[in-house]
Amino acid sequence: MLYGFTGNILHVDLTNRTLEIENPDEEFYRHYPGGSLLGLYYLWHNTPAHADPLSPANTLTFALSAPTGLPVSGQSRCTVTCKSPSSGGVADSQAGGFWPAELKYAGFDAIVITGASDTPVYLWLHDGEAELRDASHLWGKPTLEVDTILQDEIGDQRIEIAQIGPAGEKLANFAAIMNMSNRAWGRTGVGAVMGSKKLKAIVVRGTQKVNPADKKAVTELSKQGAKGFPGSGMENFGRYGTAGAVIGQQNGGGLPTRNWDAGVMENAEAISGERLYDELLRGAEEGKQDKDGRDTCYACIVRCKRVVESEYKNNRLRHEYGGPEYESIATFGSYCGIDDLHAVTYANQLCNEYGVDTISCGATIAWAMECFENEVINLEETDGIELRYGNAEAMLAMLKKTLNREGFGDILAEGSAKAADRLGKGHQFLLTVKGQELPAHMPHVKRSLGIIYAANPFGADHQSSEHDPMYSEKAYERYYKEPLSQIGLNNPKHPKVINPEKIEFALKTQYTYSAADTVSVCQFVYCPSWQMYGPQELADLMRAATGWEVTVEEIQAIGRRRQNLMRAYNAREGLTRDHDTLPKKLFKKALEGGRSDGIILENEELQTGLEMYYEQAGWDVTTGTPTRATLDEVGLSWAADDLAL
C-alpha cells in the first residue's frame, strides 16, 4: 500500500498533445520522494544535454511530496524544476498557497511537461482527469483577470490556478509562475520556460483525500504546532511576515542599499515590516490587520502572507495581489535608495500582475541606476527616464517598460547579466551568481552565506541554508541548540568566521533545506532557525505520511542526494568550479556606513572556504563536480555513469 502519495505522475507532451499517467512503485518514491529531487530525475532523463532552455526540449516539472495536503502547518508547497534560461544549469523554485494541496486532491503527485504547443493552451486537472484546453482568450491578460475568467469559465470559484503573466509570455528572463496572483515560483526563470511552451496556466480542482499511514500521528503533529505557536518567534513572524527583517538587517549593517554600496539605508524605518503592518495592511485603519491583512497557505496556522489595501498616486493597491515580502521591499526599496513604501508596494503589485521575480527584477533596475549614476548609460538610452537612486517615479516607469519589454525595458527584461552583455558595458556593477541577481542578505556580515551563494547550483539563494548569526554562541545556546544538534552541529562560531566547523554548519543546514524542498514543506516552518518544527519533526511527518521508518539521518541523506544531483546536472551542462564565484564588485568596493562600514570581501577567503566546502561535500576540488564515490554513496551511480566519472 502506497501511503501519502497518489501514485500518479502526469506526463504532458505539448507538441503532440498527449497526456499519460505513470504509476511509479514505492521504491521509486522512497528514493525520489517528491519536490525538487523528483523534478531533477525527470529533467535529467527527459531533456537532452545542452538543450536550449527555451526550446521544446526542456522539461518543466511541478512536484509535490507525501505530506502535501495533510492538515499540518507548512505542507502546501510545490517545486518547479527545469533548465534555467539564466544560468544554463538547473532551475529550481518553490511556492506555497492552496494550489499544491489542490493538485494532490486532484489526484496527482507531479506533472512532467515536455514539448511546446503551437498555440496558447491551459491544462485542466480534476479528480484524476486531465485535458488540454485553448488559452488564446487568456493570452496577454494579467494574472488576476485570468483567475476571474477561468473561475467563470469552469464554473467553480474554488479552482486553483498556476499561471504565467504577460512577462512570461514575452520570455522575460526572470519571469515567474504565479498562483493566487500573489504566490510566486519566482527565481531562476521558470516562467520564461513555461511561456516558451505556450502553456498559460495549470488549473486544478479535486475532492480526493490524502491517505496517510498514521492519521493519529499527523493529528498529534498538527496539535504540537498549534500548541507551540502562541508566544513563539513564529507568532511574531506571522504578524510581520518576512518584511519584519528590514530593521534587523539595517541594525546589523546587512540591508543592501544603492546596489550594495552600503549595508544601511537612511530612514529604513519607512519601509519596515512594522510600518507595512501599521499603515498598509488590509484593515489597518480599523485595527483589523490580524483578521484582514494576513493570509495563509492551506492548513497553516502561521498566516505570514501580507495582504495590503491602499493606493499610490491614484493607483489602487489591491488586496488580491498580496503585499511585499522582505526581498521585494529591499530590491525595490533599499537597493534603489527608495523609502516610499507605497511606491515599493505598487512595484510588488505590478510584478505579481505581470508575473516576474521581484528579486531579480528590482535588482536589475538597481543595477541600471548605478550605471546611470556613473554615466555608463544616459538619458537617450533610458528613453528619457532619469534612473537615479531615490527616484520612485523613475523606478516605476522603468519597471512598467521592463514588464512590457518596451524600449530600454526590453534590455532589462533579460536580467542584469544579459543586459550588460547586450549593452557591452556595466559589468563592473553586476551583482549576480550564475546569471541570477543576489537576494537581500549580505555575505559581508554572514560569511558562510557567501560560500553558499557561490556554490549553490542555481545561483545565489538566501533560502538554501541557515544564516551565520544562528550559529553564534549566544543565539545557539538561547534558541537553536536543540534543532541544530539534531543534525550534528554542536560547536557555534562567530558570524564572520570561516573555518571547517562553519563550513560544516553551512553544508549540513544546506542538506536540511534541500530536504525540505524535496519533501515539499515550508522552510520557515520546518527548518531549524524558525522554531516551530525541526529536523526531527520533519522525519516524524514523513513517517506519519508514508509509514516508512524515516530518521533525521534519512532526511539529511535526501537533502544530500538532491544537492548532488543538481550539481551533477550542472556538470553535464558544462558548469564547473569557475562558475562558483561572487560578483567582482564585492571584492573591490568597501561598504559605507553603519556597522558594516569599511567591510570588503576577500577572494582568498572565498577560495579557501570553497575548497573546504568541496572536500566536505565529497566533490572534486578542481572541477567542483561530485566524485564517483560520492554519487555512488548517495544512490546516484547512474548519474556518475552518464558523466563517465
Side-chain angles (χ1 to χ4, degrees):
M1 178 70 179
L2 185 64
Y3 291 104
F5 299 97
T6 68
N8 299 321
I9 294 178
L10 178 65
H11 290 261
V12 181
D13 181 338
L14 289 172
T15 300
N16 297 308
R17 302 290 181 97
T18 59
L19 303 168
E20 297 180 359
I21 297 176
E22 177 190 8
N23 306 115
D25 59 23
E26 187 172 7
E27 182 180 355
F28 176 85
Y29 280 109
R30 187 72 183 262
H31 205 65
Y32 308 100
S36 181
L37 185 53
L38 187 146
L40 284 161
Y41 176 87
Y42 288 106
L43 174 64
W44 188 298
H45 288 91
N46 289 8
T47 303
H50 311 298
D52 184 335
L54 298 181
S55 74
N58 200 355
T59 303
L60 181 70
T61 300
F62 293 74
L64 315 173
S65 188
T68 314
L70 292 174
V72 180
S73 290
Q75 49 59 46
S76 188
R77 302 286 292 181
C78 175
T79 296
V80 171
T81 308
C82 59
K83 185 175 183 180
S84 171
S86 300
S87 69
V90 65
D92 185 273
S93 190
Q94 288 74 37
F98 286 71
W99 190 92
E102 199 67 37
L103 175 61
K104 178 71 76 72
Y105 298 154
F108 300 96
D109 297 317
I111 309 167
V112 182
I113 303 161
T114 56
S117 176
D118 54 359
T119 59
V121 294
Y122 73 88
L123 182 62
W124 167 223
L125 308 180
H126 49 100
D127 285 326
E129 300 294 326
E131 61 180 295
L132 286 167
R133 292 185 171 184
D134 177 62
S136 299
H137 60 304
L138 305 174
W139 205 250
K141 290 182 166 50
T143 54
L144 184 57
E145 186 176 351
V146 169
D147 283 349
T148 301
I149 292 172
L150 286 173
Q151 287 167 352
D152 292 342
E153 183 174 308
I154 292 173
D156 189 342
Q157 298 297 302
R158 297 183 65 184
I159 60 173
E160 295 294 333
I161 303 162
Q163 61 168 302
I164 55 169
E169 298 171 7
K170 296 180 180 180
L171 309 183
N173 198 60
F174 41 67
I177 302 171
M178 308 295 301
N179 79 82
M180 298 180 73
S181 294
N182 55 51
R183 268 73 163 185
W185 288 275
R187 309 239 68 196
T188 66
V190 294
V193 174
M194 190 164 165
S196 73
K197 297 182 178 299
K198 283 193 166 55
L199 179 62
K200 177 65 174 176
I202 302 175
V203 186
V204 296
R205 182 77 172 96
T207 58
Q208 301 181 27
K209 297 301 180 184
V210 184
N211 182 28
D214 190 339
K215 293 181 180 179
K216 183 178 179 181
V218 171
T219 300
E220 288 302 313
L221 278 167
S222 180
K223 289 180 179 178
Q224 177 183 337
K227 183 179 180 180
F229 179 72
S232 70
M234 285 300 290
E235 186 176 31
N236 199 50
F237 176 74
R239 184 175 179 85
Y240 297 113
T242 60
V246 170
I247 297 304
Q249 297 284 78
Q250 167 83 355
N251 292 341
L255 181 65
T257 300
R258 294 183 296 278
N259 203 37
W260 289 55
D261 278 353
V264 292
M265 176 185 171
E266 302 81 1
N267 198 26
E269 293 81 4
I271 57 171
S272 67
E274 291 79 1
R275 183 69 62 86
L276 180 69
Y277 181 89
D278 290 339
E279 296 184 5
L280 272 79
L281 258 61
R282 193 181 190 193
E285 291 184 0
E286 297 83 20
K288 297 179 180 178
Q289 301 98 318
D290 286 328
K291 178 182 178 182
D292 298 326
R294 294 167 52 194
D295 197 4
T296 191
C297 299
Y298 176 78
C300 188
I301 195 173
V302 179
R303 297 183 63 84
C304 67
K305 183 64 181 174
R306 309 296 86 191
V307 181
V308 303
E309 194 167 65
S310 187
E311 65 88 27
Y312 173 73
K313 296 190 175 181
N314 297 319
N315 295 290
R316 180 184 173 192
L317 301 180
R318 302 185 58 150
H319 67 268
E320 294 94 340
Y321 286 116
E325 303 289 343
Y326 164 69
E327 296 291 335
S328 309
I329 290 173
T331 53
F332 286 108
S334 62
Y335 277 41
C336 296
I338 291 170
D339 62 4
D340 186 333
L341 188 56
H342 285 75
V344 170
T345 301
Y346 183 45
N348 177 79
Q349 175 169 303
L350 288 169
C351 288
N352 288 347
E353 184 179 357
Y354 281 78
V356 297
D357 172 32
T358 58
I359 299 176
S360 284
C361 187
T364 296
I365 291 175
W367 166 81
M369 284 182 168
E370 183 165 15
C371 288
F372 190 89
E373 294 273 8
N374 287 274
E375 299 182 351
V376 172
I377 57 176
N378 55 41
L379 283 171
E380 183 177 351
E381 291 169 293
T382 63
D383 308 321
I385 297 173
E386 194 167 359
L387 281 175
R388 295 200 179 278
Y389 294 134
N391 189 337
E393 286 302 298
M395 178 271 287
L396 288 166
M398 189 54 70
L399 171 60
K400 291 175 182 178
K401 282 184 169 289
T402 301
L403 296 173
N404 288 291
R405 301 205 70 147
E406 296 175 349
F408 191 64
D410 181 59
I411 297 174
L412 296 188
E414 294 293 322
S416 57
K418 289 186 176 181
D421 288 343
R422 188 165 160 183
L423 292 169
K425 53 189 176 181
H427 294 85
Q428 69 271 35
F429 304 129
L430 287 176
L431 291 164
T432 58
V433 174
K434 298 179 179 71
Q436 179 166 266
E437 287 72 18
L438 299 187
H441 297 266
M442 305 184 76
H444 303 75
V445 295
K446 302 174 179 180
R447 284 296 205 274
S448 75
L449 187 63
I451 308 298
I452 297 298
Y453 276 6
N456 196 53
F458 50 89
D461 182 64
H462 60 297
Q463 289 295 125
S464 287
S465 69
E466 295 291 358
H467 295 192
D468 301 63
M470 283 71 177
Y471 206 41
S472 65
E473 186 171 351
K474 183 177 180 180
Y476 178 83
E477 291 295 334
R478 186 172 181 180
Y479 299 113
Y480 309 121
K481 183 174 182 178
E482 181 180 354
L484 289 177
S485 65
Q486 291 174 12
I487 56 175
L489 294 170
N490 303 294
N491 190 14
K493 297 295 178 185
H494 191 277
K496 295 180 184 176
V497 166
I498 287 293
N499 62 10
E501 175 64 32
K502 180 62 78 67
I503 296 300
E504 183 182 11
F505 160 78
L507 187 60
K508 284 186 174 179
T509 61
Q510 189 175 31
Y511 292 159
T512 307
Y513 275 66
S514 182
D517 288 343
T518 295
V519 177
S520 297
V521 294
C522 178
Q523 296 170 349
F524 291 127
V525 176
Y526 284 91
C527 286
S529 66
W530 299 99
Q531 300 300 291
M532 185 163 177
Y533 295 120
Q536 183 60 60
E537 287 79 13
L538 186 53
D540 294 343
L541 178 62
M542 277 298 283
R543 187 186 306 115
T546 63
W548 304 334
E549 289 302 316
V550 180
T551 62
V552 171
E553 289 72 24
E554 183 172 354
I555 290 296
Q556 291 295 101
I558 288 169
R560 186 182 178 208
R561 186 178 306 130
R562 179 251 193 177
Q563 201 68 24
N564 275 276
L565 188 52
M566 284 198 296
R567 191 72 184 198
Y569 178 82
N570 277 7
R572 192 189 81 165
E573 300 306 306
L575 276 70
T576 68
R577 175 174 176 163
D578 291 341
H579 295 86
D580 293 349
T581 188
L582 293 175
K584 292 180 180 178
K585 177 177 176 176
L586 304 189
F587 302 111
K588 292 184 175 181
K589 189 169 184 179
L591 298 179
E592 302 170 358
R595 293 185 63 181
S596 56
D597 184 58
I599 295 179
I600 188 170
L601 297 188
E602 297 178 359
N603 189 55
E604 182 179 352
E605 179 183 273
L606 172 65
Q607 298 307 320
T608 300
L610 282 173
E611 290 200 5
M612 288 189 283
Y613 177 92
Y614 297 144
E615 289 172 355
Q616 291 188 27
W619 298 351
D620 185 289
V621 296
T622 302
T623 64
T625 300
T627 64
R628 173 85 205 202
T630 297
L631 292 175
D632 287 344
E633 184 180 345
V634 300
L636 296 173
S637 297
W638 58 264
D641 292 341
D642 280 3
L643 293 175
L645 295 176

